[in-house]
Amino acid sequence: MSNSVGKLVIVSGPSGAGKTTVLGRLLEKSSLPLTLSVSATTRPPRPGEKDGVAYHFLADKEFQGRRAAGDFLECMEVFGSGYWYGTLAETVTTSLQDGKWVVLEIDVEGSATVLQKYTDAITIFLHPGSLNELERRLRGRGTESEEKICKRLEVAKRELTFIDRYRHDVTNGDVEQAVEELSKILDSYQTNG
Ligand code: 5GP
């Protein structure tokens, strides 16, 4: 059994920046022991999203019960979405003890909370380059109403102001390029600690 302790990687960025696609490809490609932490949420699944894979989809009551029980490393009603999202503490600690590099795909506020506890987390901000591009992607996804798209764009504008708090920022213009850039960033921590 290995005694090594893993690393925490936080990836934030506006909804529609392509985080899920990029991280999926990164996990396929990387030779590092990366694992995605599955968050809990009260938002309903989008078509194709499986419970326990994309998220643990919880009813409001169950989510608040787990919150009261202290099960979350961080949790919040993500600004503008009206839904709760949270990182389960046990998922993170168990994987870190196993020597895994645990990837959290969380919003900017959640990231700030996690950083208070894990000050040496590797933080990466993934963004689509421009708000116009983000709008194009959100509309292309076709999963949200006009009202929700406008809300998400408003949130994105605000999130982009947090970019300086991240150690790295990556533009997702092309998925493979973004994956390559993320890989290089993570590989640099293999030797640099
Ligand atoms: P979506 O509904 O598009 O999957 O995610 C909406 C937002 O919630 C994204 O910005 C995403 O990063 C964030 N998010 C997902 N899981 C968590 C979590 O566990 N904690 C926090 N704070 N934000 C999360």
Side-chain angles (χ1 to χ4, degrees):
M1 211 176 97
S2 161
N3 288 324
S4 68
V5 175
K7 291 185 195 293
L8 197 63
V9 181
I10 302 178
V11 179
S12 303
S15 177
K19 292 184 300 264
T20 309
T21 311
V22 168
L23 291 178
R25 274 296 287 142
L26 178 73
L27 259 79
E28 276 169 20
K29 231 188 113 181
S30 177
S31 55
L32 294 168
L34 297 175
T35 182
L36 259 183
S37 156
V38 179
S39 294
T41 184
T42 61
R43 111 156 140 66
R46 294 194 187 110
E49 283 184 335
K50 289 205 181 84
D51 188 30
V53 180
Y55 285 102
H56 298 289
F57 293 101
L58 304 184
D60 255 319
K61 204 170 164 198
E62 192 181 354
F63 193 105
Q64 296 309 334
R66 296 201 68 168
R67 184 181 171 216
D71 286 356
F72 291 112
L73 172 59
E74 60 76 35
C75 73
M76 58 195 31
E77 189 181 353
V78 166
F79 182 78
S81 76
Y83 297 118
W84 282 80
Y85 293 81
T87 307
L88 291 160
E90 202 191 330
T91 309
V92 173
T93 48
T94 309
S95 298
L96 286 176
Q97 275 159 16
D98 284 349
K100 298 264 171 55
W101 290 37
V102 187
V103 182
L104 305 183
E105 186 201 318
I106 61 178
D107 88 315
V108 291
E109 320 264 2
S111 163
T113 307
V114 174
L115 272 172
Q116 283 170 14
K117 186 159 183 198
Y118 293 95
T119 50
D120 58 352
I122 304 164
T123 54
I124 302 167
F125 195 91
L126 190 70
H127 58 93
S130 73
L131 282 170
N132 282 346
E133 177 58 19
L134 182 65
E135 184 170 359
R136 198 184 65 75
R137 284 190 205 174
L138 282 174
R139 291 192 193 285
R141 190 153 80 182
T143 53
E144 261 115 339
S145 64
E146 182 60 29
E147 191 194 338
K148 286 216 172 111
I149 289 175
C150 290
K151 194 88 202 168
R152 279 180 185 256
L153 284 171
E154 214 180 282
V155 174
K157 255 189 220 167
R158 184 171 165 274
E159 283 183 329
L160 282 167
T161 65
F162 283 74
I163 200 164
D164 291 344
R165 301 194 190 179
Y166 288 73
R167 288 207 224 175
H168 307 276
D169 78 276
V170 172
T171 305
N172 179 21
D174 169 85
V175 173
E176 290 308 317
Q177 242 171 24
V179 170
E180 188 66 24
E181 213 177 310
L182 272 168
S183 287
K184 274 196 191 138
I185 290 170
L186 294 183
D187 285 346
S188 75
Y189 284 90
Q190 253 189 318
T191 44
N192 298 343

